[in-house]
Amino acid sequence: MNEQLRSTSFSAAQPVEGAIAPAATWPSLTERPAKHKFVHGVLKGRRDLPLFCNPLLIFVLNWVLMLVALSFQITYVTYPTMGVPVLLFVLSLGSFLFGYMVARTLLHRWPTRWEALPYTLDVTRLWQANLLFCGAAILIMVFNWALAGPPPALGDPASYLTYGRFKQVLFPLLVVVTVNSLLDTSRWRRALFCMFGIAGMALYITRGLLMVALLQMLFVFALKTRMSKKKLYGIAVGCLALAVVAITLIGNARTAQGVFLEYLQIRRKYFDWPMAYLWLTSYISIPLSNLCWLFAKGSFHGPTLSFLYPLLPSFLTPPDPHASIHNDLSIIDGASTYLAAYALDFSYLGVYLANLALGLGCGWLMERSLPRNILVAGLFLTCLTFIFFSDMFTPLSTILQFAIQAAVQRKCFVWGGTPVETMVPQ
């Protein structure tokens, strides 16, 4: 097999050599760590990773797609010229590259291994953690159902934006359960955990969250598998096609076509485009157009620290000091890329500093996080992929997910161990 894994069980008295028949799907929750099930494997070296795991390529591709999509002028209020978009691109790329190179140069003084990294995964502890997360998610969903009625998919689909409480905790739990199910060795547990997470997100009609989970699974799989790059690229293309289909189906289910065309102010000449193209092009172009309108119409009177508001629980979030600018008819649906909050508080300086920080983070990712921090790196790359839409790095839900995945890595993974060449194929 490509993965070259070996499953073993350890006894308190002495180790048992060789492969062991799989235990029941749900072994005792109270079994001692000495009797946990372990799996040996290896993560790809950084030089062996596919191109779509390179943060620099993701950043540049995002900006190219935004500029190309904007050039279609798909809505009546799309920003009319390309001067400001190109200026923002040049400023963003320059500051990102500066931070990226500084981080990599400094961290390269204490280099880490580039080759494949062996690991041992505590499968028992992994599924026990997933079971705990499922229980917590169920409690939140039952609480919301009792307090405000059934989830949007079973009740009022129009309530999906505001429905329920503790979504900043619920949604990270659902994504973590879905993503981490990929690491489980039991097909039954893997299927059950994955279906639970996807079903929970579907109940809340969270199209974006489903895409986030799918992308994280792709990145984690790409870091973990020994599959060839050619096959990985085929899987990536398949995931992209699946994401586009999901966007279209869920979008059409919750928004009638006429409402979509009117609300987003789509130009009449694009009315005969397939809805899949309209959803994709509009969602990539409109945030950049909105960002340009912020610079064209916004008045910058100094920082308000509103860029920190996403870090707060929803019930503690102060009123948006920039709410008036979002009421402008040229700004559609509120999304203004990952730079909106920093631009509103610091103008072009905010664009420079935000991209500088992002470049430093991506430099750290390449020099320190890959391949060891597989789950955290998968989340980081996913947040980076969505910079065309919004800032996914700062919301409290993302911070909680980073904390959960860091804890899972620390508790379930042990690095090093049996060399790959001596492992018995499973």
Side-chain angles (χ1 to χ4, degrees):
M1 288 179 60
N2 289 331
E3 297 266 344
Q4 286 194 329
L5 300 178
R6 180 183 64 179
S7 296
T8 57
S9 295
F10 293 93
S11 167
Q14 69 178 70
V16 178
E17 299 294 336
I20 302 297
T25 301
W26 307 105
S28 172
L29 284 169
T30 59
E31 62 182 352
R32 294 181 299 172
K35 293 183 179 180
H36 284 196
K37 181 179 180 181
F38 296 87
V39 170
H40 300 297
V42 62
L43 299 181
K44 286 178 177 290
R46 277 176 282 179
R47 289 192 177 95
D48 298 323
L49 294 177
L51 290 175
F52 60 78
C53 289
N54 186 312
L56 177 58
L57 180 64
I58 294 175
F59 181 86
V60 174
L61 185 60
N62 259 295
W63 270 99
V64 170
L65 287 175
M66 285 192 287
L67 292 173
V68 171
L70 186 69
S71 68
F72 281 102
Q73 296 284 304
I74 196 169
T75 79
Y76 286 109
V77 294
T78 297
Y79 196 77
T81 64
M82 294 299 291
V84 173
V86 172
L87 174 62
L88 290 173
F89 168 61
V90 172
L91 178 60
S92 298
L93 180 61
S95 54
F96 177 89
L97 287 176
F98 179 69
Y100 184 76
M101 296 306 298
V102 166
R104 295 205 64 178
T105 301
L106 291 177
L107 293 174
H108 197 65
R109 293 171 176 260
W110 303 275
T112 56
R113 56 194 302 166
W114 281 77
E115 66 272 14
L117 179 64
Y119 67 87
T120 300
L121 172 64
D122 188 335
V123 178
T124 303
R125 186 169 286 172
L126 176 72
W127 72 254
Q128 288 177 350
N130 254 1
L131 198 60
L132 178 64
F133 299 149
C134 287
I138 290 173
L139 287 176
I140 295 175
M141 287 189 284
V142 170
F143 173 81
N144 281 333
W145 194 320
L147 186 69
L154 302 178
D156 180 11
S159 67
Y160 74 95
L161 287 176
T162 57
Y163 177 81
R165 298 183 180 180
F166 305 110
K167 288 196 297 185
Q168 291 170 303
V169 178
L170 173 62
F171 290 166
L173 291 175
L174 293 175
V175 174
V176 165
V177 168
T178 306
V179 173
N180 292 0
S181 68
L182 193 66
L183 303 175
D184 206 312
T185 56
S186 167
R187 293 181 180 178
W188 285 106
R189 287 197 304 265
R190 188 161 58 236
L192 288 171
F193 283 133
C194 186
M195 286 190 298
F196 175 85
I198 292 176
M201 289 181 276
L203 284 175
Y204 283 82
I205 320 182
T206 52
R207 174 177 51 183
L209 204 63
L210 283 167
M211 291 185 63
V212 167
L214 178 65
L215 264 178
Q216 281 193 58
M217 293 177 76
L218 174 63
F219 285 128
V220 170
F221 180 77
L223 294 174
K224 174 180 175 290
T225 185
R226 304 299 295 170
M227 188 179 291
S228 67
K229 289 184 180 180
K230 183 177 180 180
K231 292 182 179 179
L232 279 176
Y233 292 138
I235 292 175
V237 171
C239 288
L240 177 61
L242 179 61
V244 172
V245 171
I247 288 175
T248 305
L249 292 178
I250 298 177
N252 291 343
R254 75 184 190 189
T255 306
Q257 182 173 348
V259 175
F260 167 81
L261 296 173
E262 180 182 358
Y263 180 72
L264 294 186
Q265 305 180 56
I266 303 297
R267 291 179 184 271
R268 185 166 294 278
K269 66 179 181 180
Y270 294 115
F271 277 17
D272 59 346
W273 274 29
M275 285 299 291
Y277 291 142
L278 286 178
W279 277 111
L280 193 62
T281 307
S282 62
Y283 264 61
I284 293 177
S285 65
I286 288 175
L288 179 58
S289 173
N290 291 346
L291 180 66
C292 295
W293 283 119
L294 293 182
F295 280 95
K297 299 186 176 184
S299 55
F300 305 99
H301 303 295
T304 64
L305 300 182
S306 62
F307 67 95
L308 296 176
Y309 290 177
L311 293 170
L312 300 174
S314 56
F315 60 88
L316 291 179
T317 304
D320 184 1
H322 306 294
S324 59
I325 187 64
H326 292 294
N327 294 328
D328 191 286
L329 294 178
S330 300
I331 297 175
I332 304 174
D333 209 22
S336 304
T337 81
Y338 66 111
L339 295 171
Y342 312 102
L344 287 171
D345 269 355
F346 302 100
S347 188
Y348 285 100
L349 178 62
V351 174
Y352 176 83
L353 294 176
N355 283 289
L356 178 65
L358 186 56
L360 291 170
C362 290
W364 165 83
L365 180 75
M366 289 299 293
E367 291 293 331
R368 285 293 179 268
S369 186
L370 293 175
R372 180 183 293 268
N373 296 322
I374 177 174
L375 298 177
V376 171
L379 175 55
F380 190 99
L381 290 172
T382 300
C383 294
L384 185 64
T385 304
F386 281 94
I387 60 174
F388 71 90
F389 192 72
S390 65
D391 180 14
M392 287 188 57
F393 291 97
T394 56
L396 179 60
S397 58
T398 302
I399 301 302
L400 289 176
Q401 194 176 340
F402 270 116
I404 293 171
Q405 294 294 54
V408 170
Q409 284 180 171
R410 186 172 63 252
K411 295 294 184 180
C412 299
F413 282 87
V414 176
W415 303 105
T418 308
V420 177
E421 293 77 6
T422 65
M423 293 181 189
V424 179
Q426 180 173 288

